[in-house]
């Protein structure tokens, strides 16, 4: 079996849960679907729980160990340190999260659907679903679309917030 076939088999085995990744390469905590992540974000906004909202998102260690090595910016010729990239992402994400939280006016929202207007990028060990668009229903039955978070990251069919950056 050639190296490419072996790599594909390994990635598929991890995706299907047949093999598990080392702990430092696993996202945690994760939720079962984009809708579950979106509902947890709405609940965190409703309760004003900044710490809970942060726990739903990618951590520094997850970025460093899992995400960064797969990004084009990590190539040596780019000369971008991982911690610079992380600090930039984390600062923007936290600023967007705080703005969203301070402006939140809960109307009894529930999540109807989640879509990704920016598509999906597959990095092998994980996938990034870009530009989340949430369809929400308020307590009176009115439906609207919102951008409460930026992207989600998926690993082995489980999801979490990649960042709260909304462009």
């Amino acid at each position: 079996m050639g190296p490419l076939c072996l790599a594909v088999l390994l990635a598929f085995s991890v995706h299907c849960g047949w093999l598990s990744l080392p702990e430092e390469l696993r996202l945690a905590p994760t939720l079962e679907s984009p809708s579950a992540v979106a509902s947890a974000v709405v609940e965190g906004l409703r309760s004003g729980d900044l710490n809970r909202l942060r726990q739903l998102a990618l951590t520094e260690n997850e970025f460093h160990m899992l995400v960064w090595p797969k990004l084009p910016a990590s190539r040596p010729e780019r000369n971008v340190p991982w911690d610079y990239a992380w600090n930039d992402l984390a600062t923007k994400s936290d600023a967007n999260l705080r703005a969203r939280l301070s402006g939140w006016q809960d109307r009894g929202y529930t999540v109807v659907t989640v879509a990704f207007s920016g598509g999906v990028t597959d990095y092998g060990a994980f996938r990034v679903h870009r530009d989340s668009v949430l369809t929400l229903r308020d307590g009176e039955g009115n439906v609207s679309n919102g951008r409460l978070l930026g992207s989600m990251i998926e690993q082995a069919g489980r999801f979490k917030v990649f960042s709260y950056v909304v462009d």
Side-chain angles (χ1 to χ4, degrees):
M1 182 179 306
L4 180 58
C5 290
L6 188 58
V8 169
L9 180 61
L10 179 61
F12 184 74
S13 297
V14 168
H15 178 75
C16 292
W18 300 336
L19 295 175
S20 59
L21 289 167
E23 188 173 327
E24 66 273 8
L25 298 180
R26 278 185 267 153
L27 298 172
T30 56
L31 297 169
E32 66 276 5
S33 67
S35 290
V37 173
S39 294
V41 169
V42 168
E43 182 54 40
L45 290 167
R46 178 179 294 125
S47 65
D49 190 343
L50 182 60
N51 287 331
R52 173 65 179 136
L53 290 162
R54 285 178 175 154
Q55 289 171 357
L56 295 170
L58 191 68
T59 67
E60 180 176 5
N61 190 56
E62 291 166 342
F63 180 83
H64 182 213
M65 300 301 292
L66 176 69
V67 174
W68 178 249
K70 301 289 185 182
L71 297 179
S74 71
R75 294 182 193 138
E77 65 272 14
R78 298 277 175 98
N79 200 28
V80 177
W82 77 267
D83 54 343
Y84 173 83
W86 166 253
N87 287 329
D88 184 57
L89 175 66
T91 300
K92 289 176 182 173
S93 184
D94 199 57
N96 276 266
L97 176 57
R98 287 175 179 275
R100 192 87 57 248
L101 191 56
S102 70
W104 184 252
Q105 295 177 356
D106 187 52
R107 295 186 176 102
Y109 290 113
T110 57
V111 176
V112 178
T113 61
V114 178
F116 301 97
S117 63
V120 180
T121 304
D122 192 330
Y123 291 94
F126 61 92
R127 296 169 20 134
V128 177
H129 300 257
R130 300 186 191 290
D131 302 325
S132 304
V133 179
L134 283 54
T135 302
L136 303 172
R137 179 176 288 118
D138 68 17
E140 296 177 2
N142 301 310
V143 176
S144 61
N145 291 325
R147 300 280 318 275
L148 301 181
L149 57 111
S151 300
M152 290 189 201
I153 185 168
E154 173 191 2
Q155 183 182 58
R158 306 280 299 177
F159 297 82
K160 74 185 305 182
V161 174
F162 186 89
S163 84
Y164 289 99
V165 177
V166 176
D167 295 329

